[in-house]
Amino acid sequence: MVRTFLHGTLLSAALALAGPALAQEAALLSVDGPDGSRSYDLPALQALGEAQIRTSTVWTEGVHGFTGVPLARILADAGIATGPGSTGEVSATAINDYAISIPLAEIGPDVPLVAYLMDDREMSVRDKGPLWIVYPYDADRQYQTEVIYSRSIWQLNRLSTAPVP
C-alpha cells in the first residue's frame, strides 16, 4: 500500500513538473456554473478568442506580454453572466487549493485575462502556470490595489459559482 501511494505521489509530482507539453493533453480548467460543469484544454480556451495584455507585475521583473482569454468569455461560455448588474461571485481555485472570489459585477468584457502564455511561451507550474488571472496593472491605478493583486491567482485550475438566493 505504501508503495502504491508513493508511486502515485511521485507520478503526480512528475506530471505537475513536466510542464505545458503534458498539460495540453488534459483539461487545464474546469468551470462549474448553472449549466453544469465544463472542462477546457488549451485548444478549447484558444477557441474562445485570444486577447493580450502587456504589463509589469509585482511578482515578475520587467514588462511581459500575456496572452489568454478574458475571464468574462470563459464564464459566458459556461452560462455565467458578468459585468454591471450581475450578482454573485466566481470562486477561482489554484492547483494547491488556494482560492479567491471575484464579484461577477466587477468582471469586464476584456479584464481580467486568464493567461496561458507569458512572452509567447506556455507557463509551467513553477512559473505560475499553466493559467494565471492577470490584470493590466500598468494601465490604471485601479489595477494596483491589494484587492486586485489578491485576485491575480496563478496555477488556476477551477472556477465555480454558487447559486444566488
Side-chain angles (χ1 to χ4, degrees):
M1 181 162 137
V2 171
R3 176 178 267 163
T4 303
F5 172 77
L6 287 175
H7 181 264
T9 301
L10 292 173
L11 180 60
S12 295
L15 289 173
L17 295 175
L22 289 177
Q24 288 183 13
E25 301 300 322
L28 294 177
L29 182 66
S30 65
V31 181
D32 296 323
D35 293 346
S37 295
R38 294 183 188 230
S39 294
Y40 298 86
D41 59 9
L42 185 56
L45 288 172
Q46 291 170 323
L48 295 175
E50 189 174 274
Q52 284 100 23
I53 291 176
R54 188 154 178 79
T55 189
S56 62
T57 79
V58 297
W59 306 278
T60 59
E61 291 187 27
V63 174
H64 297 279
F66 294 92
T67 303
V69 180
L71 178 58
R73 284 190 207 160
I74 296 169
L75 296 175
D77 189 64
I80 302 167
T82 61
S86 299
T87 58
E89 296 182 332
V90 63
S91 175
T93 306
I95 293 168
N96 67 357
D97 291 328
Y98 173 78
I100 55 93
S101 292
I102 303 173
L104 294 170
E106 295 179 20
I107 297 172
D110 301 314
V111 175
L113 184 72
V114 176
Y116 47 76
L117 298 177
M118 181 170 69
D119 297 330
D120 298 323
R121 299 171 79 193
E122 292 179 30
M123 298 173 286
S124 70
V125 171
R126 286 186 177 195
D127 292 324
K128 301 186 177 24
L131 301 175
W132 182 2
I133 294 181
V134 178
Y135 289 78
Y137 311 103
D138 296 341
D140 194 305
R141 292 190 61 79
Q142 72 174 334
Y143 301 124
Q144 299 170 12
T145 68
E146 288 303 315
V147 169
I148 294 299
Y149 295 148
S150 71
R151 293 177 183 169
S152 301
I153 186 171
W154 53 79
Q155 298 175 342
L156 174 71
N157 72 343
R158 291 175 301 220
L159 297 169
S160 62
T161 58
V164 177

